[in-house]
Structures are given as C-alpha cells and as structure tokens.
Amino acid sequence: MNSPLNLMSPPAIVRRESVLDTKAIQALDSAHYMHPFTDHQDLATRGSRVITKADGIYVWDSEGNKILDAMSGLWCVSAGYGRTELAQAAYQQMMELPFYNSFFQTTNVPATQLAAKLSTLAKPVGDRRFDHVFFSSSGSESNDTNVRMVRRYWDLLDQPQRKVIISRKNAYHGSTMAGASLGGMSGMHAQGDLPIPNITHIEQPYFFENALPGETEQAFGVRAAGWLEEKILEVGPEKVAAFIGEPVQGAGGVIIPPDSYWPEIQRIVDKYGILLVSDEVICAFGRLGYWFAYEKFGYKPDLVTFAKAVTSGYIPLGGVMVGNRVAKVLIEKGGEFNHGYTYSGHPVACAVALANIALMERENLVGRVRTDVGPYLAEKFKTLAGHPLVGVAETCGFTAGLVLVKNKATQELFAEDLGVGMVCRRHCFANGLIMRAVGDRMIIAPPLTMTHAQIDEMVALITRCLDLTYAELKDKELLG
Ligand code: PXG
C-alpha cells in the first residue's frame, strides 16, 4: 500500500521566476490559441499581453509590469489573488476525491455541503425560499439550465404554450446558444441566427440614455419597467414563461436601475403570474453588498443564476438557486428532469467554493462592501464626477461606471467610431491599471478585499488616465 497522504500539506509551490520569452509565447498564442471575443488578425499584429502571476489586487505580465486589477480578473476574483486556503482546499479535495458524478443516485460531500450552505445564504423573501441548488460550471450553462427549467415548469403545469422568455437589450447572459439568445447584445445576435425562437427583448433601464428631458430617476424607473408589461401584452400573457434580468447589468456597462425599477417589475410579473429569473453571475457574493443581490433591490426571484465569485474565480463553478415555487413542481410532479452536466456538483469546485465562502464570512467581505468600502468608493467617485471628461460617475456596492463625454456642460457624447473608451483603456494599461471600456463607459469591479489606501491608489490611477485621455483628445481637437 502507498504511504498515507498528509492531506493538509500540499507540495511546496515552485515559483517560475525565470524570464519568459514574451515574443515566443505570443507567437505560439497567435498560431494556436483561439481566444474568446477576439479579432485574431488584430491580435496577431499586436500580440497578447501575457499575464504570468498575481497577488492581492495586482497582476504581473511577462515583461514584469505590475498592474492593479480593478476588474477582479473578469468580475470573479472577489477574495483577491494568492489565497493559500483556496489552493489548499482544491489540493486536499483532489487527493481525497478529484471527481465523481452526481448522476445515478450518487452524490459527494462538498456538493451536498455547498448546496446546503447556499440555501442558507440565499435569504427567503416573501413567499420565496431557496432550499435547492442545481450546479453547472459557468454562467452560460446555468442560464441554459434556466431555460430548460422554466419550460419544464410550465409543461408540468399543463401550460406548454408558455414558452416566451423576455429579456433586455444590452443584457449579458452568456455565450452558449441560449445564453447569447437571452442576452441582448446585437453583435452576438448578428452571428449565428440568434436569438433562438421564443426569446424577445425590451429596452434597458439606462437613465443616462433613455430618460426623457426633465424626467426624474424614479419616474423613469417605473416607465422602464412598464416596457415589460407592454411586451407581455404584445406577446400575449398566456404565452409568456419568464422575465430574466441582471440586478445591475455588468457587461453592458454597469447599468444601475433606479430604485423604482425592480419593485415595479415585481408587480408586473406577479400580475401575469410569470416566473422571475435574477441573473446574479456578477452581482451575487458581495459585489453589491449582499450575498444575493435580489435582497438589495427587494424583489422575489424564482430562479437565481450564479457563477464567477462563488469560487472567487479560482475554479469554474456555476449554478441556479431554485426557488420553492419551481422546485416543488419539478420535484413533486416532474419525475426525472432530463438535464445535467458531467461536472454538475464537481467536488473540487464545490470544495473551493466552501473555502471561499468561509473566507468571505471570516473577513466580512460582504458586509464591508455594504457599510465600509462601498460607501468609501462612492465618495471617491463623486470627486471623479467633477473631471472635465466625465459626464456621470456612479457606483453600486463595489462596482462603478463613468461616462466619457465630449462636452461636460451639454453632456454631448463622442462619435462612436472614435473609440474614446479604448483610448482611455490604452492609457490605463500603459499606467498599470485594468479598467474595462464598454463603448465610452469605463467600468470597474475590484476585489472586495481592497483597503481604503488601495482604493485611493486606484482612484489616483483612474484620475491620471482620465487626464491623459483628456490631453490626447484635446491635442486632436476632439473635445466639444
Ligand atoms: N450572466 C451574466 C450576468 C454574466 O455577467 C454570464 C451570465 C456568463 O457566464 P460565463 O461563466 O458563461 O462566462 C456572465 C458572464 C465582460 C464579460 O466583458 C462579462 C462576462 C463574461 C465575459 C465578459 O464584462 N459575464
């Protein structure tokens, strides 16, 4: 027999500090690696930035540049980089049970414990409780699961004609056929005959672009929710299965709805009896200061999508919190639900998620967003709103967006083809800061571990990059 393993002592990590041949990696990358959402001819001419290591809130590239990652990887690394206990949890679980499936009446300990833990974190609201979880490995897969569950639910209730799912323009719900169809990204729909049938979209609740002159935010929120009712009536209420929305639209540019929006959406879905799906792939696990963001906005979803920060991005995991309204029907009337993934309830991913949640609880990462670093970031963004290039600067929890404008007094926007957001993003990278550009909306979603001093450092970098962008635009006589 092999000698017993000391499960608590993973082998020492050998740090690969040797100098990397960046050009060689870039050549291999360009020749063989097809990247997501990438123009490969463009990539080949410019070469990829090779990220080689990370610690805390910083990443390093192969040229040794240290970069403050204000996007947490891609909205994922909420606990920050270099957390030994997450690596330890993965190592230990890999040695104990690296994989077993959850089909055929089997289960594993971490998946079971995580499901139970998530059920306690997803607070009951009104008559909705979340006693059940369905696991996948990503946000996209989870939204495919939602489509399957929503349609199965209505079939089981003898209303098979209820198939239409209403979503919003500029929403992001993933990149599988169902995810991309639910999303409202016109560039994605233009490739591959999307959306698939029975998915339709309404306008987004974006005050800055869609409000009428003189309209208050509160009035706009109610009017924007009203677009859902108009669509329900247009489709025919008897055909509508569900509405899906992100609490705050992330990839769409951190679009924060007015407070009046979600309660009015709730009123409308209740009126027509349709299911409400809250896609919290970005917003859950503390990003908005709550474990789940429906709590912040006070609505009652039937299904809640999660992924990303459930493991702080250390390993892929996603899933759906299944509310009692849907779970009861699926379980009591449904028999076998013919849906699932090889990696549903992957023991290593679930073990990392349990360790990540324990870490978040111990460091109060969720609470500090609500009462400490969230308000501090909001205060700092108020000062950024005064910058001559900034039209609006707004935050929600620990995510934020600002709009670059040609003329501050009139709030006139730049022509789209100027790509001003990308100009700003270039200055960010060159100055050691990762910030996302969505059109001319610059957005951040930093690790929830940030200290006040690190927030100051980030805001100083943002200011510097705005100054540099402003100077470049002024030189080119592009300001209004
Ligand atoms: N729903 C939401 C709300 C998301 O933000 C997905 C689903 C899909 O998750 P997966 O794990 O399948 O990627 C997401 C993902 C961006 C960006 O540019 C955002 C995401 C993914 C890629 C890029 O901001 N969000």
Side-chain angles (χ1 to χ4, degrees):
M1 237 185 88
N2 291 336
S3 58
L5 283 160
N6 181 351
L7 293 174
M8 289 312 290
S9 307
I13 305 289
V14 182
R15 281 251 175 227
R16 284 170 295 187
E17 295 288 0
S18 60
V19 180
L20 258 180
D21 182 344
T22 302
K23 287 266 178 295
I25 294 287
Q26 286 173 329
L28 283 178
D29 180 65
S30 171
H32 301 292
Y33 181 13
M34 253 187 143
H35 291 232
F37 284 87
T38 294
D39 174 340
H40 281 82
Q41 288 189 354
D42 185 49
L43 188 73
T45 54
R46 287 198 278 159
S48 298
R49 180 184 294 274
V50 186
I51 303 295
T52 51
K53 62 176 189 178
D55 191 32
I57 61 164
Y58 303 100
V59 298
W60 280 261
D61 69 16
S62 54
E63 302 291 278
N65 295 305
K66 179 183 177 188
I67 311 167
L68 190 158
D69 182 9
M71 277 308 297
S72 304
L74 199 52
W75 318 85
C76 315
V77 190
S78 291
Y81 296 98
R83 307 305 301 248
T84 312
E85 60 206 273
L86 302 191
Q88 187 103 26
Y91 176 82
Q92 184 163 348
Q93 187 56 47
M94 281 188 185
M95 296 312 293
E96 221 167 82
L97 178 71
F99 177 73
Y100 200 77
N101 72 71
S102 296
F103 294 54
F104 321 127
Q105 311 218 325
T106 57
T107 192
N108 67 74
V109 176
T112 305
Q113 289 177 333
L114 180 61
K117 181 70 192 174
L118 292 171
S119 300
T120 65
L121 294 178
K123 296 263 165 22
V125 47
D127 54 355
R128 297 293 185 280
R129 285 201 343 269
F130 297 93
D131 291 335
H132 293 87
V133 186
F134 193 97
F135 288 118
S136 73
S137 302
S138 70
S140 300
E141 284 178 349
S142 304
N143 281 328
D144 274 50
T145 295
N146 279 329
V147 173
R148 298 287 310 276
M149 272 193 188
V150 161
R151 295 203 173 142
R152 178 84 182 132
Y153 170 84
W154 288 116
D155 281 352
L156 289 169
L157 290 181
D158 294 324
Q159 298 187 54
Q161 78 288 351
R162 281 209 193 239
K163 293 215 186 313
V164 176
I165 301 177
I166 302 176
S167 179
R168 300 175 300 181
K169 295 179 184 165
N170 198 37
Y172 191 80
H173 296 298
S175 198
T176 51
M177 294 292 278
S181 298
L182 291 170
M185 300 291 178
S186 51
M188 293 175 79
H189 291 172
Q191 297 176 354
D193 270 342
L194 300 178
I196 56 174
N198 290 314
I199 291 177
T200 185
H201 300 82
I202 58 172
E203 195 49 74
Q204 60 178 333
Y206 186 18
F207 182 74
F208 185 75
E209 278 191 358
N210 295 329
L212 299 169
E215 192 173 28
T216 64
E217 280 205 49
Q218 295 310 298
F220 171 71
V222 172
R223 188 167 66 85
W227 297 328
L228 174 60
E229 186 156 24
E230 283 171 23
K231 184 58 97 178
I232 292 170
L233 295 173
E234 180 193 318
V235 169
E238 72 291 350
K239 291 190 189 145
V240 180
F243 173 71
I244 182 168
E246 302 154 80
V248 167
Q249 289 154 254
V254 185
I255 309 295
I256 307 162
D259 287 344
S260 55
Y261 181 76
W262 278 111
E264 183 64 5
I265 290 284
Q266 184 70 56
R267 189 191 67 74
I268 294 165
V269 295
D270 284 349
K271 179 171 171 191
Y272 296 97
I274 69 177
L275 293 171
L276 179 55
V277 186
S278 188
D279 184 346
E280 308 205 359
V281 166
I282 281 175
C283 296
F285 299 100
R287 178 58 57 200
L288 303 189
Y290 295 82
W291 286 102
F292 288 94
Y294 64 79
E295 237 192 287
K296 173 180 171 66
F297 292 106
Y299 58 93
K300 301 187 295 178
D302 297 293
L303 298 162
V304 182
T305 323
F306 64 89
K308 294 191 187 272
V310 63
T311 60
S312 279
Y314 278 57
I315 194 164
L317 179 69
V320 177
M321 301 301 304
V322 186
N324 51 334
R325 177 181 174 194
V326 173
K328 194 169 157 50
V329 171
L330 289 185
I331 292 167
E332 290 179 8
K333 292 172 83 105
E336 181 170 330
F337 180 36
N338 299 325
H339 173 70
Y341 308 106
T342 300
Y343 298 127
S344 287
H346 193 290
V348 179
C350 292
V352 173
L354 283 165
N356 180 55
I357 290 168
L359 179 163
M360 287 185 145
E361 286 183 325
R362 200 182 59 241
E363 297 182 1
N364 187 28
L365 293 185
V366 178
R368 76 194 284 278
V369 166
R370 198 167 59 241
T371 59
D372 178 6
V373 289
Y376 189 69
L377 182 72
E379 219 179 274
K380 294 281 149 185
F381 259 63
K382 277 203 192 109
T383 63
L384 286 177
H387 193 279
L389 194 56
V390 174
V392 214
E394 44 190 351
T395 68
C396 188
F398 219 49
T399 185
L402 48 84
V403 185
L404 307 178
V405 289
K406 182 173 175 177
N407 184 316
K408 195 173 175 78
T410 62
Q411 302 273 65
E412 187 190 348
L413 297 169
F414 292 99
E416 228 173 274
D417 58 354
L418 289 176
V420 168
M422 295 309 272
V423 173
C424 184
R425 199 184 78 159
R426 201 164 23 77
H427 284 297
C428 291
F429 262 119
N431 286 276
L433 172 69
I434 295 174
M435 208 178 176
R436 277 262 284 119
V438 180
D440 291 347
R441 241 181 117 80
M442 303 304 300
I443 61 176
I444 56 163
L448 310 185
T449 51
M450 265 195 171
T451 61
H452 285 219
Q454 288 173 330
I455 294 172
D456 292 346
E457 180 189 338
M458 175 178 71
V459 172
L461 276 171
I462 294 173
T463 308
R464 172 138 141 239
C465 298
L466 289 172
D467 289 346
L468 290 165
T469 308
Y470 186 81
E472 179 175 335
L473 296 171
K474 194 164 183 201
D475 268 3
K476 293 182 174 161
E477 298 183 355
L478 293 171
L479 294 171

